[in-house]
């Protein structure tokens, strides 16, 4: 589906207007032909909207009434022109412009695989129940998921988000609700977690596999998840198990890292849009520095495994990147990039990412645990990282068009 709209200056509510609707099989020249026909009657354009779905067009033009005595002739001429184009026409008299949109503007992005009629009906009904009005619906993508954007007015963003996100899990879809406005296109910094977000792996587990201590690392991880250890304690406990491991294992781990499907497309598209992109990780710089170079990232920060005389010492050096540290780094990256925090996007999957997600202008939970999904601004539960682009209003067609450009 494609849609376009434009609007002229305000028209007083008591000024007679005509809504001219043309519908039928789309072909080049329909829009130009309609307005060539209307031009003969000295009407002003108040509003235009055009939608094309599977080759069928609906073109609506709201215009001022023609000079006295010409309306009948205008109607006859438009109907004759439409018939000659094998289209149908409908003309409705009225007064003034469209009614003003209500206060509170939001964009609701719905992701489904598939997107069922049942889910769409439920979302539309919930929007109505909150007092919102759907002003426009636009398809952003048809694969790898179906992504549809609703422009909604008449209700504030936060209560709308609360109402819709509650239904999302039950309906088997993802719903993101963000405030409409220029800031959405102005978001210029995206910061991601690494393990189980940018990549499919947990880096500590890759190192543990080479050290033969996977089970012990898993035990420490489980204890941390039970709340028996905080992140820093669990990090030191797990890294201690790597003591004595030959440093050559770093290159092996780098080669074993698997990017999440869609990761390259996400980063490549963001960079071509002029965004800056960074990663923060509770993992290790020995891997994130390599990812930064390979993917052309602007920022990267993680913990650092200490290596002495060619072997891992079982310790980390420098500032620990934990839950609070990720949020601090987001702020630091934003300051270095010259981007307001409100124009940042953070993506993560674990409780360790929550502070960062909440600090960002848009926090996205990616295939995350329930507690993270509930706390984030938006959630994506499909295994394709580039679906995050749809939450930023980027269409699949724009992604594919960018891929044809020779841009470094």
């Amino acid at each position: 589906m494609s849609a376009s709209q434009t609007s002229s200056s305000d028209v007083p509510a008591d000024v007679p207007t005509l809504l001219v609707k043309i519908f039928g099989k789309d072909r080049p020249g329909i829009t130009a032909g309609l307005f060539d026909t209307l031009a003969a009657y000295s009407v002003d354009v108040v509003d235009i909207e055009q939608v094309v779905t599977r080759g069928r067009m609906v073109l609506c033009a709201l215009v001022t009434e023609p000079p006295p005595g010409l309306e009948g002739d205008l109607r006859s001429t438009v109907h004759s022109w439409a018939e000659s184009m094998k289209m149908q026409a409908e003309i409705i008299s009225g007064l003034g412009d469209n009614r003003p949109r209500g206060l509170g503007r939001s964009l609701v992005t719905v992701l489904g695989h598939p997107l069922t009629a049942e889910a769409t009906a439920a979302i539309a009904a919930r929007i109505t129940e909150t007092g919102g009005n759907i002003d426009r619906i636009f398809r952003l993508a048809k694969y790898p998921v179906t992504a549809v954007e609703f422009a909604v007015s008449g209700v504030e963003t936060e209560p709308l988000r609360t109402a819709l996100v509650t239904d999302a899990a039950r309906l088997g879809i993802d719903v993101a609700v963000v405030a409409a406005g220029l800031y959405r296109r102005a978001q210029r910094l995206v910061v991601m977690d690494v393990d189980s977000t940018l990549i499919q792996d947990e880096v500590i587990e890759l190192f543990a596999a080479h050290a033969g201590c996977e089970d012990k690392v898993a035990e420490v991880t489980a204890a941390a998840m039970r709340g028996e250890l905080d992140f820093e304690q669990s990090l030191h406990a797990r890294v201690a198990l790597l003591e004595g491991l030959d440093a050559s294992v770093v290159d092996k781990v780098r080669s074993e890292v698997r990017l999440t499907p869609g990761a390259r497309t996400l980063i490549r598209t963001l960079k071509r849009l002029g965004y800056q992109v960074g990663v923060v990780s509770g993992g290790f710089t020995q891997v994130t520095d390599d990812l930064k170079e390979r993917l052309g990232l602007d920022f990267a920060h993680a913990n650092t495994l200490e290596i002495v005389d060619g072997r891992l010492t079982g310790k980390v050096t420098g500032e620990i990147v934990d839950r609070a540290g990720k949020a601090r780094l987001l702020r630091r990256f934003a300051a270095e990039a010259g981007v307001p925090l409100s124009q940042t996007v953070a993506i993560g999957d674990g409780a360790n990412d929550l502070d960062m997600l909440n600090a960002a202008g848009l926090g996205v939970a990616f295939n995350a645990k329930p507690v993270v999904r509930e706390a984030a601004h938006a959630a994506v539960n499909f295994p394709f990282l580039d679906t995050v682009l749809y939450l930023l209003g980027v269409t699949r067609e724009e992604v594919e068009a960018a891929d044809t450009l020779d841009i470094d």
Side-chain angles (χ1 to χ4, degrees):
M1 179 184 294
S2 61
S4 59
Q5 183 182 37
T6 185
S7 180
S8 68
S9 58
D10 290 340
V11 173
D14 59 350
V15 171
T17 52
L18 297 176
L19 174 61
V20 181
K21 182 166 71 172
I22 306 297
F23 48 98
K25 184 177 179 181
D26 186 29
R27 61 176 62 83
I30 297 297
T31 304
L34 172 62
F35 287 98
D36 277 344
T37 302
L38 293 172
Y41 296 90
S42 301
V43 298
D44 294 330
V45 177
V46 179
D47 203 353
I48 308 170
E49 187 159 358
Q50 177 175 305
V51 178
V52 179
T53 305
R54 212 175 69 178
R56 308 296 292 184
M57 167 195 276
V58 178
L59 169 60
C60 294
L62 186 65
V63 299
T64 55
E65 189 179 56
L70 293 182
E71 182 178 334
D73 190 54
L74 180 150
R75 287 174 176 268
S76 176
T77 301
V78 168
H79 280 285
S80 295
W81 169 81
E83 185 176 348
S84 73
M85 300 299 292
K86 298 183 179 179
M87 306 284 283
Q88 292 179 274
E90 181 180 4
I91 303 176
I92 303 170
S93 299
L95 294 174
D97 199 347
N98 303 305
R99 66 180 178 83
R101 294 189 177 101
L103 296 176
R105 308 282 175 81
S106 301
L107 297 171
V108 178
T109 306
V110 180
L111 308 178
H113 185 63
L115 178 59
T116 65
E118 176 188 8
T120 306
I123 291 297
R126 181 66 75 180
I127 290 171
T128 300
E129 290 169 9
T130 65
N133 183 71
I134 299 172
D135 299 322
R136 184 167 298 112
I137 305 174
F138 180 74
R139 188 179 72 184
L140 296 168
K142 60 184 178 181
Y143 70 92
V145 299
T146 300
V148 178
E149 181 179 271
F150 294 74
V152 177
S153 62
V155 61
E156 295 300 325
T157 299
E158 285 303 323
L160 181 62
R161 177 187 293 136
T162 300
L164 295 180
V165 170
T166 301
D167 288 345
R170 175 179 61 82
L171 296 169
I173 57 176
D174 288 337
V175 176
V177 183
V178 299
L182 292 176
Y183 87 95
R184 189 195 198 197
R185 284 289 189 177
Q187 289 169 329
R188 293 301 180 193
L189 173 66
V190 176
V191 177
M192 289 175 276
D193 173 46
V194 176
D195 292 9
S196 298
T197 299
L198 178 62
I199 67 174
Q200 301 177 60
D201 311 284
E202 294 289 329
V203 170
I204 186 68
E205 294 178 1
L206 297 179
F207 277 100
H210 289 281
C213 59
E214 297 155 281
D215 292 343
K216 291 181 179 179
V217 165
E219 289 175 8
V220 175
T221 300
M225 293 181 67
R226 290 193 299 268
E228 297 169 10
L229 299 171
D230 63 23
F231 177 80
E232 184 170 351
Q233 290 172 321
S234 67
L235 174 68
H236 288 303
R238 287 178 290 182
V239 171
L241 296 169
L242 306 180
E243 183 180 1
L245 195 61
D246 193 281
S248 63
V249 78
V250 169
D251 288 335
K252 296 177 183 177
V253 167
R254 287 174 175 172
S255 68
E256 292 166 352
V257 165
R258 300 167 299 163
L259 292 174
T260 297
R264 287 187 183 277
T265 299
L266 172 67
I267 294 169
R268 181 172 62 245
T269 304
L270 290 173
K271 297 291 290 182
R272 287 171 174 172
L273 287 171
Y275 283 60
Q276 296 187 62
V277 185
V279 293
V280 292
S281 177
F284 311 110
T285 57
Q286 282 81 0
V287 170
T288 58
D289 286 351
D290 181 62
L291 289 171
K292 180 182 179 183
E293 182 177 351
R294 286 166 50 196
L295 300 174
L297 303 175
D298 300 285
F299 304 98
H301 201 94
N303 300 301
T304 299
L305 293 169
E306 184 180 63
I307 298 175
V308 176
D309 295 332
R311 293 192 176 277
L312 276 62
T313 66
K315 299 177 182 178
V316 291
T317 62
E319 176 188 6
I320 297 297
V321 180
D322 56 7
R323 175 170 169 167
K326 288 186 175 185
R328 285 196 303 271
L329 286 164
L330 172 69
R331 294 186 177 93
R332 184 189 305 174
F333 293 168
E336 293 177 12
V339 173
L341 203 58
S342 61
Q343 293 176 7
T344 62
V345 180
I347 310 169
D349 72 296
N352 203 34
D353 301 311
L354 275 174
D355 289 3
M356 176 177 71
L357 298 182
N358 289 330
L362 176 63
V364 180
F366 180 72
N367 290 316
K369 300 171 181 63
V371 66
V372 182
R373 291 201 304 268
E374 292 168 6
H377 301 127
V380 171
N381 292 303
F382 298 100
F384 311 107
L385 193 56
D386 54 337
T387 54
V388 172
L389 290 167
Y390 309 141
L391 306 185
L392 306 179
V394 180
T395 68
R396 192 72 203 177
E397 287 81 4
E398 289 171 324
V399 173
E400 292 171 352
D403 282 345
T404 66
L405 299 176
D406 185 17
I407 303 176
D408 292 330

